[in-house]
């Protein structure tokens, strides 16, 4: 699937905002795989599952993943930014599936 430059910029902006929201909301360090690994880290899999859960309207899974990822039950900002990013992807026919 390809998207134009403006759509790509908008999508990357929403991704960056989502990542910043996760980082600032988290009570723990989010673990990210380095480029040499061929597999996602546990936290990366949880993050992808959050986005997929949002796209599939699986709110309990989204809430559970958000709480697990950031280490707190105060998930509202993360859930909102996840929903915004997930919607942006769906608007361009980019739908995720669960990776776990």
């Amino acid at each position: 699937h390809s998207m134009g430059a403006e759509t790509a910029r908008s999508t990357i902006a929403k991704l960056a905002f989502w990542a910043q929201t996760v980082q600032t909301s988290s009570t723990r360090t989010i673990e990210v795989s380095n480029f040499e690994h061929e597999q996602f880290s546990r936290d990366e899999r949880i993050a992808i599952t959050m986005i997929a859960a949002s796209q599939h309207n699986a709110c309990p899974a989204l809430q559970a993943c958000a709480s697990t990822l950031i280490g707190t039950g105060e998930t509202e900002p993360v859930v909102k930014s996840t929903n915004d990013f997930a919607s942006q992807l769906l608007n361009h026919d980019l739908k995720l599936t669960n990776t776990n």
Side-chain angles (χ1 to χ4, degrees), residues 1-77:
H1 183 81
S2 65
M3 59 177 75
E6 187 59 37
T7 300
R9 274 191 286 278
S10 175
T11 302
I12 294 300
K14 286 195 183 284
L15 172 60
F17 181 77
W18 173 79
Q20 182 65 37
T21 303
V22 168
Q23 182 180 6
T24 59
S25 299
S26 185
T27 62
R28 56 186 285 284
T29 301
I30 305 297
E31 295 182 20
V32 180
S33 294
N34 64 34
F35 292 113
E36 295 171 2
H37 288 112
E38 293 183 17
Q39 295 183 351
F40 291 118
S41 72
R42 176 183 175 271
D43 288 344
E44 289 168 327
R45 289 191 308 273
I46 292 169
I48 293 166
T49 300
M50 283 173 46
I51 297 163
S54 175
Q55 290 183 331
H56 293 274
N57 297 312
C59 183
L62 172 57
Q63 291 286 342
C65 288
S67 181
T68 299
L69 184 63
I70 65 173
T72 180
E74 300 297 322
T75 61
E76 185 178 337

